[in-house]
């Protein structure tokens, strides 16, 4: 559930790996219906075997005049997040967003 009163969203990813990863990265796509609304690509880089790591970022909202109304977004937005080591996919998840 996402609040429509926020001017920024902070997210934190905690991850652990038993194995070395040479090029750990994330690809995230935000779909409105089936159209890509936004794409983000993040490079974490080298991950030490047996380590636990934290990564955080803040995404600031666009100006109110540039925002799509929550009533059009709610239930129609899917965030797909994929993690890779180089070109090898490690995991993929999809989350549908509802605004209240």
């Amino acid at each position: 559930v996402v609040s429509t009163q926020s001017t920024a969203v902070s997210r934190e990813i905690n991850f652990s790996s038993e194995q070395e990863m040479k090029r750990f990265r994330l690809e995230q796509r935000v779909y409105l219906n089936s159209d890509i609304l936004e794409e983000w690509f993040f490079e974490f880089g080298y991950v030490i075997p047996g380590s636990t790591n934290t990564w955080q970022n803040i995404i600031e909202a666009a100006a109110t005049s540039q925002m799509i109304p929550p009533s059009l977004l709610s239930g129609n937005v899917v965030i797909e997040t994929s993690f890779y080591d180089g070109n090898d996919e490690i995991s993929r998840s999809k989350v549908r967003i509802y605004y209240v």
Side-chain angles (χ1 to χ4, degrees):
V1 177
V2 177
S3 167
T4 59
Q5 304 301 313
S6 300
T7 59
V9 173
S10 175
R11 64 179 169 182
E12 182 175 288
I13 297 173
N14 295 297
F15 57 94
S16 299
S17 177
E18 293 180 5
Q19 299 175 350
E20 171 187 64
M21 288 190 278
K22 295 186 179 187
R23 193 172 150 231
F24 187 50
R25 61 190 184 86
L26 171 147
E27 293 182 4
Q28 191 166 66
R29 290 175 180 82
V30 179
Y31 294 91
L32 176 57
N33 299 313
S34 59
D35 299 320
I36 294 178
L37 193 60
E38 297 178 346
E39 286 183 295
W40 293 301
F41 303 94
F42 302 103
E43 293 279 340
F44 298 102
Y46 182 79
V47 177
I48 298 169
S51 66
T52 298
N53 305 275
T54 301
W55 174 77
Q56 182 181 33
N57 73 330
I58 297 173
I59 300 170
E60 294 185 22
T64 304
S65 63
Q66 296 176 319
M67 300 293 279
I68 299 170
S71 59
L72 295 177
L73 296 173
S74 189
N76 296 313
V77 172
V78 173
I79 300 174
E80 179 184 74
T81 306
S82 301
F83 291 93
Y84 296 88
D85 183 10
N87 292 324
D88 297 330
E89 186 176 84
I90 297 168
S91 73
R92 179 181 306 240
S93 65
K94 293 182 181 182
V95 177
R96 185 169 301 275
I97 304 296
Y98 293 90
Y99 292 82
V100 293

